[in-house]
Every structure is written in C-alpha cells, then in structure tokens.
Amino acid sequence: MSVKIEASEGGRPHNEILGFGLIGSLVCIYLTYLNVLTGTEIFSFFGGLGAVIALAWGSDTIKHLCSYGLGTGVPSAGMIAFGSGVIAMLFATKFGIAAPVAALVIAALLGAVIGYVSDKVVSMNIPVMVISLIELAIVGALTMMGLAAMAGGSFMFADLVAGSTTVFGIEIASYGSSVIGGSVLAVIFILGSIAVQHPFNACLGPGEQQDRTLMLAAECGFLSMIGVAVISFAFIGFGSAVVALLVSIIGWAYTYMEYIKLSRRDAYDWLDAKPIHEPKGGA
Amino acid sequence: MENLVLGIGITALAGALATVAGAAEDTESDIGSQGDPNSQVQLAPQMGYIHRIYNKAVSGEPPAYGLWCALGAGIAWALMSIQINAVLAIVLGSAIAVFVQGVYATTAYLGRTASLAKFEQPVYIDIIKSVTTVTMAHAFVAIFTTVAMCQLMIVALGHPFPLPLLALVWGIALGAAGSATGNPFYGKERQYQEQKFGAGVPISASGNIVRYAEAGQRSSLDNGWFASKLGGPASGICFGLIVFLELWRTVLFEQIGAGWGAIIAGVVLILVFMVIDRYIETWARKTYGPYVAETEEAAS
C-alpha cells in the first residue's frame, strides 16, 4: 500500500468541498433550464458557472488522490475523469429534464467500475482510489454537461444534435453545425481535462496551499468559459453570448488577480530583474 | 488526374505548414521548459541550485497542444459558421487559444515557484514579463499553421472529421513529435553542458542544471536560441514528414482495393522506417561504442 503524504496542512476538509461542489454544480446546470421556461437563451452562462464549481471540487479530489505519491500521474487523472465523464454525459443527455441527475448516477457507476479495476485488478492499492475515481467521473460528466449547456443553451440531446447552416441566405437544418456534430464536445473535453488537472499540477510542492490551488481552479474554469462563450456565438443569440462572455471575462480577471496576490503571499520573495539569489549553505 | 495533382499539391503544402508548426512548437516548449526537461528545472532549487529558468508545468506537451489546437480550431469553426472569412476566423481562433496558453503558462510558473518557497527560490517577475510573450508568439505560429493545415485537409482533401476534432488529433501528434524529437536537445544536452560529453546524468548531478551563461545568468530566452538551431528544425522535419507521408499515402493509394491500398502503404512505410531506425541505432553503437568510465580508462 502506498504511504500517504500530506500535500498541505489545514484548509477546508475535502468532504465539505465535495458537498459544495456536487450541489453547487447541479443547481447551476439546472438553472440553464430557465432558458426553456422563459423562452430565452440568456441563462446559458449558468452552465459554465456549474462547470467552474465542479472543476474546483475536481482539483481538490485530484490533490486528495495524488497525495499518495502519484507525482507524474496528475495530468492523467484529468484525462480519466473526462474519459469516463464524456460517456456518462452523452448517455445522460437522453434523459431530458433529469439529465444532470442521470449524469451523476451513470458517472458514479462508471467511476466505481474503473476505480475497482485500477485498485484491485491493476493492483495500484491506493485506499481512496475507488471513491476518487467516482468523484472524478462525476466531475467530468457535470463539467462537460455544464459547458455543453453553455455553448448550446440546453443540456438535452435533441437540442445538442440540432443545428442550422445558411446556404445562399436560406437556413437549413444541419447535423454538422450542431454542438455534437461539429465536435465542440472535443474542445470541451480537452478544455475541461486540462483545467481540472492544472491547479494541483501547477501548485504542487512543499509550499502548496489549498486556498491558492482552489483559486487557480476557479481561474482555469473561468478561462475555459471564455473559450466556450466565444464558441457559443455559433449556437445562441448574440446578446446571450455577449452576456456569457462578459460573465466569463469578469470572473476570470477577478480570480486571476486574486491568484497572483495569493502567489505573492506564499512566494519566498518577489523580485523584478534581480540576479540569482544563492542560498546560504546551498550548493 | 487533376484531382491527383491537386491532392499532391495540398499534401506538399500541408507538409510545409506542419514543418513550421513542429519547429515553432519545440522552440516554444524549450523556452518555457515544458515536458520532460521541466523535471530538472523543478528539482534544481530543491538541490540548492536557485535559477532564473521558466517553469511551465501545464502538462505533457501532447495534451497541452491538443488543447491549444482544438480550442483555436473550435473558435475558428464557430466563427466560420457565422459567416466570417476562414483566414480571419483561424487567426482569431489562434489568437484566443494563445491567450489561454499564456495565462496557463504564467499560472504554472507562479504556482510551482511559490510552492518552492521552502528552498528559497524567489519569483522573478521579470521572467514572466519577458519570456511569456516569446512563448506565446511561438505558440501562435504553431497553432495557426496546425489549424490551417487541418482546414486544408477538410476543404481541399475532403476529410470527414469536423475541424475541432481533427485539430485535437493533430495537436496531440504535434506535441508528441516535439516532445520526442526536440526535447532531448534541450533536456539532455543544453541543461547539462557542464557535464562531460557522453557522461550521462548521474544521480549526484540531478538538478545541477546550467544556471550561468557566457555572460551573466542564463535566461530561458537563450534556450530559445539553442532550440531554434537544433531541436526545433529536427521536430519540424519529424512532424512535417508525419503529415506529408500520411497524406501522400492516402491521396495516392486510397483508390486501390477500396481503401486497403492506403492501409498497406502505411504498413510498408512503418516497416521501411523500422529498418532505417535499426540501421542508425546499430551504426551509432558501433561508431561511438558504450560509455567508458574514467576509472576504467586509468586502469587500462
């Protein structure tokens, strides 16, 4: 069995972040349903906010999992989260209004199977493996659903495969111009899988602090939202896409500034154009 | 016949774009110390070697370039679908992707360096200002050429994949080519110029990377100069050949045997390269021989 190494002391307990992440992201993804109720597309950006919350939870799970000495395994944890998440998310979109909850259940089942195989069959013997991979699969599924809802305005399969293209000024239905048919899901997949692994991968080391890592997770989420907001111009109305873009840029700018402040707090020194400072008794 | 000539022309153009992409990708990743050379940059302060080298720990190069290229292509695809000119759409898509790349680079440097406070490694803020922009410029060239190449494959050669998916696949291939071909020049050669030639990197030398330059202190920008001379062009040739041969076999042999012709040509190409690789390996072993330690030399 691997020995557990504490990455950082203190901070909020993981279960608290799990609860907040799970409920927060589900509520935000459901808020995009206001689009259907009110007949607009203005609420699409809530999907992105749901993804930000899920990514923060996911990065804390990766930290929890990788504290068992998986240094180089941090980026692969992001890949397995979204690899299992994308299957659950696509399957769940067929469940209509119940899609976010269905994504949660299917992802949990998938994560349990993958976790069991890695822990017992591949014999990695990490005590938190099964529960962490369940969490990561849910994070992957909810993040993809949130960002897909942000791009397309809906989390339902029928809307995600419906698109239209203009040929000589006449609008015709075209599968190739939809969120799924245009492979926007491929962009969302790689955006999310890099965003979920980056916070802990970038902040790991003996001086890692939970608040700084989580702030970076939120920053990565908002940065991914900017890309998805620009893509959403192809699917939702101009005004709604502008609102989504503004929310993303404001969120990103705030979290980026806060992250720089936290890095300045934790850094040994903050120097501008100064020579190498050789430590006393160093090499 | 006309189709074939057009196909060969597109193949050559795509190969040329890929060569530029490969060269820019490796130069970018070496300036930022991404990929496997990053482990030594990360280790150095822990061994007492404080340095002024960029630490761009985003992930391995293949997933990172998968993201930059897929994002650039996704945005370009979306802009094209709202009737924006293809060239302008690809430029705008690449610009936004490069913005994301730059932000990821700065957060990685700040995060890794701040977490090394225990070993007295300070954050050099001037490094972020001077080096990030240079990596972004190189990344723009790599992303733009890769997305343009994918667009060519779809529009001119009729590739069935949507642009974002094709760019994701080729972005991963681009990162893999740069990581496998160019990084040894930087990671095993440039970082260890102080070690004797052919000595390898013993455990005792781990983290003892070159920190001082001919004049003053080594900056990551100096590594850009070094990479653009050796690792960059080598990666360019590698990725350019991959793209060129891949399209060449498809364009020429796809009509034979309902597509099986292209598959057989691919297998033959792999076999030919295996023979070449084996020949180079045995030739290098015979010519340079195994490494002889100094103590053995003294004894003999």
Side-chain angles (χ1 to χ4, degrees):
Chain A
M1 198 183 97
S2 312
V3 184
K4 186 168 190 231
I5 315 153
E6 275 306 329
S8 64
E9 296 292 329
R12 287 175 179 281
H14 178 66
N15 285 343
E16 203 173 294
I17 293 170
L18 188 160
F20 174 73
L22 189 65
I23 295 167
S25 57
L26 270 181
V27 167
C28 280
I29 293 172
Y30 264 116
L31 281 176
T32 60
Y33 197 71
L34 286 174
N35 279 345
V36 181
L37 295 180
T38 57
T40 59
E41 288 165 333
I42 198 97
F43 299 102
S44 305
F45 70 88
F46 276 112
L49 295 182
V52 171
I53 296 170
L55 286 172
W57 162 32
S59 71
D60 204 66
T61 306
I62 288 186
K63 176 176 151 186
H64 197 57
L65 172 66
C66 293
S67 58
Y68 286 87
L70 292 175
T72 51
V74 179
S76 33
M79 293 297 151
I80 200 159
F82 279 73
S84 42
V86 66
I87 303 169
M89 174 263 175
L90 270 177
F91 186 23
T93 49
K94 286 298 258 181
F95 287 79
I97 176 89
V101 177
L104 192 154
V105 175
I106 300 164
L109 290 174
L110 259 176
V113 172
I114 296 171
Y116 178 79
V117 170
S118 2
D119 198 37
K120 296 286 182 291
V121 182
V122 189
S123 301
M124 291 175 87
N125 289 334
I126 295 172
V128 294
M129 193 64 154
V130 177
I131 186 74
S132 294
L133 285 187
I134 291 175
E135 284 179 40
L136 283 176
I138 299 174
V139 166
L142 291 182
T143 306
M144 289 205 68
M145 187 166 273
L147 290 177
M150 183 185 173
S154 161
F155 50 70
M156 288 183 228
F157 189 75
D159 300 319
L160 292 176
V161 291
S164 64
T165 185
T166 317
V167 180
F168 300 116
I170 306 157
E171 209 159 272
I172 51 165
S174 147
Y175 166 69
S177 314
S178 64
V179 175
I180 290 177
S183 274
V184 173
L185 277 191
V187 183
I188 291 173
F189 171 86
I190 194 82
L191 264 176
S193 54
I194 297 285
V196 78
Q197 60 82 22
H198 183 66
F200 183 62
N201 190 42
C203 291
L204 63 82
E208 194 263 347
Q209 291 295 327
Q210 193 194 38
D211 54 351
R212 181 158 55 96
T213 308
L214 288 182
M215 188 58 77
L216 181 56
E219 190 268 346
C220 287
F222 281 114
L223 188 63
S224 308
M225 272 178 77
I226 294 181
V228 177
V230 177
I231 292 176
S232 74
F233 276 97
F235 303 108
I236 61 176
F238 186 79
S240 310
V242 169
V243 170
L245 188 59
L246 279 177
V247 170
S248 325
I249 291 176
I250 292 169
W252 170 77
Y254 173 74
T255 47
Y256 191 57
M257 292 298 164
E258 287 296 309
Y259 173 71
I260 290 177
K261 272 186 211 158
L262 290 173
S263 301
R264 190 163 190 164
R265 179 199 69 188
D266 294 341
Y268 173 72
D269 209 347
W270 193 266
L271 303 174
D272 194 358
K274 290 285 187 298
I276 292 174
H277 144 93
E278 294 288 0
K280 288 187 197 83
Chain B
M1 192 62 202
E2 252 176 53
N3 268 344
L4 197 65
V5 174
L6 177 79
I8 294 291
I10 296 296
T11 302
L13 189 54
L17 282 170
T19 308
V20 178
E25 192 276 346
D26 185 60
T27 313
E28 188 270 335
S29 76
D30 284 356
I31 293 172
S33 294
Q34 199 177 1
D36 59 320
N38 177 268
S39 61
Q40 295 297 316
V41 174
Q42 171 73 15
L43 183 64
Q46 307 188 28
M47 309 302 283
Y49 304 106
I50 303 301
H51 60 75
R52 280 173 53 87
I53 306 286
Y54 208 87
N55 188 345
K56 185 158 76 77
V58 176
S59 71
E61 284 166 57
Y65 266 86
L67 171 58
W68 318 146
C69 293
L71 183 60
I75 292 169
W77 177 87
L79 294 178
M80 276 186 253
S81 75
I82 51 171
Q83 315 299 325
I84 288 179
N85 177 283
V87 177
L88 185 62
I90 295 175
V91 170
L92 286 174
S94 307
I96 295 174
V98 157
F99 164 74
V100 171
Q101 183 263 358
V103 172
Y104 267 101
T106 54
T107 52
Y109 176 78
L110 284 174
R112 281 283 173 107
T113 315
S115 290
L116 287 171
K118 196 176 161 189
F119 304 104
E120 306 190 10
Q121 167 76 44
V123 169
Y124 290 105
I125 201 75
D126 59 306
I127 292 182
I128 292 188
K129 290 180 203 160
S130 59
V131 179
T132 309
T133 42
V134 179
T135 70
M136 284 169 77
H138 283 85
F140 179 83
V141 174
I143 297 166
F144 176 77
T145 45
T146 308
V147 177
M149 177 189 94
C150 295
Q151 175 73 2
L152 266 183
M153 287 183 198
I154 291 168
V155 176
L157 296 182
H159 198 290
F161 279 15
L163 184 60
L165 187 59
L166 196 59
L168 174 66
V169 172
W170 280 114
I172 292 173
L174 168 65
S179 183
T181 316
N183 279 4
F185 286 92
Y186 167 56
K188 276 107 196 156
E189 188 62 40
R190 177 77 168 162
Q191 282 183 338
Y192 286 99
Q193 282 182 330
E194 285 166 354
Q195 302 290 318
K196 271 199 170 165
F197 183 74
V201 183
I203 302 283
S204 59
S206 269
N208 186 9
I209 55 173
V210 179
R211 302 174 297 143
Y212 291 94
E214 294 80 354
Q217 298 172 347
R218 179 164 288 176
S219 145
S220 291
L221 296 179
D222 303 340
N223 294 335
W225 168 82
F226 180 82
S228 60
K229 206 169 140 191
L230 293 165
S235 309
I237 289 175
C238 171
F239 190 56
L241 270 180
I242 292 172
V243 171
F244 178 80
L245 292 175
E246 156 68 19
L247 294 182
W248 176 82
R249 72 175 177 102
T250 314
V251 168
L252 278 193
F253 302 107
E254 207 182 16
Q255 305 304 325
I256 302 167
W260 282 98
I263 294 172
I264 293 165
V267 173
V268 171
L269 273 175
I270 291 172
L271 290 176
V272 168
F273 273 95
M274 277 171 73
V275 171
I276 296 174
D277 291 347
R278 182 68 193 156
Y279 175 77
I280 293 177
E281 192 194 333
T282 48
W283 171 82
R285 277 182 195 282
K286 266 186 208 148
T287 314
Y288 300 106
Y291 173 68
V292 185
E294 272 183 64
T295 47
E296 287 175 39
E297 271 177 5
S300 60

